[in-house]
Amino acid sequence: MSLTTRTRRRPLAALGLAIPLALVAACSTGTPAAEESSAPAAEEAADEPTEAAARSPRLAVTYDGGIQVLDAQTLEVLDDIELDGFNRLNGAGDGRHLLVSTTGGFQVLDAGTWAEPHGDHSHYYTAAPELTDVMFDAEKPGHVVVHAGRTALFDDGTGEITIVDSGEVADESREARELTTPEAHHGVAVELSDGTVVVSEGTEDARTGIRVLDAEGAEVAASDECPGVHGEAMAADEAVLIGCENGVLIVKDGQITKVASPDAYGRIGNQAGSEDSTVVLGDYKSDPDAELERPTRVSLTDTATGELALVDLPSSYTFRSLARGENGEALVLGTDGQIHVIDPATKQLARSIPVIDAWEEPDEWQSPRPAIFMLDGSAYVTDPANQSIHAVDIETGEVWSSVELDVEPNEINGVSGDVEAGSAEHGSGEEGHAEEEHAHSEEEGHDHSEEGHDHEHTEESGQG
């Protein structure tokens, strides 16, 4: 398939018609900035950033009608932001912002916590959380993948891909690399540190494989051995794992390797990777006829050896159940209410940590169900049935904090408040505030084909 390359400047809102996968270097902007506030001076002063003695990690949870932002250390609700519709949360990669998949595209949420490096140390600031006016327009906002200080956004409705420096997601004058797939589909893209892009191949009806493009947009490798392409995860040594209905594809050093599932139909879609480990945790489904399969096995794929192992669990799990611990542990939140900790080296279940009551996966993928999110060595587990969030120390197994909310939590994500690979290099307490995350892997994945949510849900919800 031929590719074209061109350079032009245009705002994000002015994206044109689909073209053969094209690389476009552009200066892209979101929606126009809000007009200056006419609030009283006292109110403006309350919005000024405050310098803190240490970083202040924060969480965000969606609910039907909005988003709540919490202090990750105290679980205090800091703000409640009204936002209609079914919304999703994606890490932006700069330690400060999240990207909200919502009506119209990816809207930038400022969690109100960040760090500014100064030589051998950093200064830390906090401010009120804010759902900004900055928007990456998208018909069906899908996957967001962060790697090496770059953030790639995929629009399932058009096949358009926008890649920006993670530290500039809230900067409307940012430059963006833009590509468009030949046909729109529920897809994914990731940019590697040398500018190589791994991108899914498919149509609205079927996804069949991937292509690897160099920094200039020229195809260097391709594979059509991946029916039902879904989900990605990064592993050590910049290996990319792509899920298929019969195994996975491993992209490493410009080469693509197919690893087959042990079953004729062995679907791997939602994944959790660690860039410190060669092993990727994935779900595993083996019944192609199931309307809603409740799997009790997970997959562990070693991107260095190509070995794919299956691990039996004492319970089922869902697409929001996968995470990775600070030391690379493979974590699965089971429907028995426990976090099952798997050693990726031995491929064995090491222990299980009781956290919440047993629960059952709902029929509709959009419906709230317990979710797990890792931040600073703690697993944050939502408990929709009891409108709660629990913080768990994975190393000790202690549930060190729990809080009851006044909403039913659905999705959860968060920010470190620290300098990350994609953080803005420097800024003042005020200007930096205007500029500034598993695995994804595929934690937010969905699949309409099987459980109405493994990531084909974007075809219904416009998100991935």
Side-chain angles (χ1 to χ4, degrees):
M1 182 174 298
S2 63
L3 302 171
T4 60
T5 302
R6 53 182 173 167
T7 301
R8 60 180 172 181
R9 301 180 69 83
R10 61 178 179 175
L12 286 176
L15 291 172
L17 299 175
I19 54 176
L21 193 55
L23 170 61
V24 183
C27 176
S28 300
T29 62
T31 56
E35 295 180 3
E36 282 190 27
S37 171
S38 57
E43 189 173 315
E44 290 182 359
D47 292 336
E48 289 296 317
T50 300
E51 186 162 5
R55 63 188 182 88
S56 306
R58 290 181 174 179
L59 303 170
V61 295
T62 63
Y63 64 90
D64 185 9
I67 302 169
Q68 290 192 342
V69 180
L70 293 76
D71 184 307
Q73 296 167 319
T74 66
L75 298 186
E76 173 192 359
V77 176
L78 303 174
D79 202 358
D80 192 323
I81 300 167
E82 292 185 4
L83 186 63
D84 290 338
F86 176 74
N87 306 297
R88 310 205 61 208
L89 297 170
N90 311 278
D94 65 348
R96 172 175 179 170
H97 295 96
L98 294 171
L99 294 169
V100 182
S101 299
T102 188
T103 302
F106 303 91
Q107 191 165 359
V108 178
L109 171 64
D110 185 347
T113 179
W114 68 97
E116 294 174 4
H118 290 268
D120 61 354
H121 67 284
S122 295
H123 288 241
Y124 303 99
Y125 298 90
T126 61
E130 177 190 6
L131 184 62
T132 73
D133 293 328
V134 180
M135 175 83 81
F136 292 83
D137 293 346
E139 283 187 14
K140 292 183 178 180
H143 284 263
V144 176
V145 181
V146 174
H147 175 66
R150 297 280 280 173
T151 303
L153 303 88
F154 198 102
D155 181 352
D156 291 349
T158 63
E160 291 169 345
I161 301 160
T162 303
I163 306 174
V164 300
D165 285 344
S166 303
E168 296 181 350
V169 292
D171 182 355
E172 294 184 294
S173 64
R174 75 183 81 77
E175 288 192 356
R177 179 182 185 183
E178 297 174 352
L179 306 93
T180 304
T181 58
E183 294 192 55
H185 61 281
H186 176 56
V188 65
V190 55
E191 184 182 85
L192 304 183
S193 58
D194 64 355
T196 296
V197 175
V198 180
V199 61
S200 57
E201 181 86 352
T203 67
E204 185 177 351
D205 300 319
R207 300 182 302 279
T208 55
I210 62 170
R211 288 194 283 163
V212 181
L213 313 176
D214 65 18
E216 284 69 48
E219 182 176 308
V220 295
S223 172
D224 60 1
E225 296 184 86
C226 193
V229 170
H230 180 263
E232 58 67 44
M234 296 298 306
D237 304 316
E238 274 205 316
V240 183
L241 195 80
I242 303 291
C244 317
E245 289 179 352
N246 58 2
V248 298
L249 296 180
I250 299 172
V251 183
K252 186 177 179 183
D253 299 327
Q255 303 295 314
I256 302 174
T257 303
K258 175 64 181 283
V259 179
S261 296
D263 299 287
Y265 179 88
R267 185 183 184 283
I268 297 171
N270 302 298
Q271 303 156 44
S274 166
E275 299 199 19
D276 295 322
S277 170
T278 61
V279 178
V280 172
L281 168 67
D283 59 7
Y284 191 79
K285 297 174 183 175
S286 55
D287 184 355
D289 300 318
E291 255 185 58
L292 177 60
E293 184 173 355
R294 292 182 165 91
T296 57
R297 292 182 293 175
V298 292
S299 59
L300 292 173
T301 305
D302 193 323
T303 57
T305 65
E307 176 191 6
L308 191 160
L310 301 180
V311 179
D312 290 305
L313 297 175
S315 72
S316 62
Y317 59 92
T318 77
F319 67 91
R320 290 196 186 130
S321 292
L322 308 181
R324 298 300 290 269
E326 197 169 48
N327 298 312
E329 307 95 328
L331 309 176
V332 184
L333 176 61
T335 55
D336 58 0
Q338 302 188 81
I339 298 174
H340 302 293
V341 183
I342 302 169
D343 184 335
T346 64
K347 314 295 191 295
Q348 299 292 318
L349 177 61
R351 56 197 170 96
S352 297
I353 305 171
V355 183
I356 59 177
D357 297 333
W359 51 283
E360 185 175 277
E361 179 181 2
D363 292 335
E364 298 295 330
W365 71 264
Q366 297 98 331
S367 299
R369 84 275 313 282
I372 183 171
F373 174 74
M374 281 297 302
L375 184 62
D376 292 343
S378 288
Y380 293 89
V381 175
T382 61
D383 183 2
N386 296 297
Q387 296 191 179
S388 319
I389 293 182
H390 309 276
V392 185
D393 186 312
I394 292 300
E395 186 173 350
T396 66
E398 175 193 5
V399 180
W400 57 265
S401 185
S402 296
V403 66
E404 187 173 327
L405 304 174
D406 58 2
V407 298
E408 184 181 29
N410 199 335
E411 290 214 348
I412 182 170
N413 212 306
V415 298
S416 66
D418 205 352
V419 176
E420 296 189 4
S423 301
E425 233 178 83
H426 183 79
S428 71
E430 297 178 20
E431 294 175 357
H433 176 55
E435 298 169 4
E436 310 258 4
E437 118 194 300
H438 116 57
H440 180 324
S441 55
E442 254 287 301
E443 317 164 49
E444 298 132 43
H446 320 50
D447 186 306
H448 279 152
S449 60
E450 301 186 10
E451 42 182 273
H453 192 218
D454 228 20
H455 246 108
E456 286 175 27
H457 79 301
T458 48
E459 291 148 7
E460 298 179 20
S461 74
Q463 317 202 21

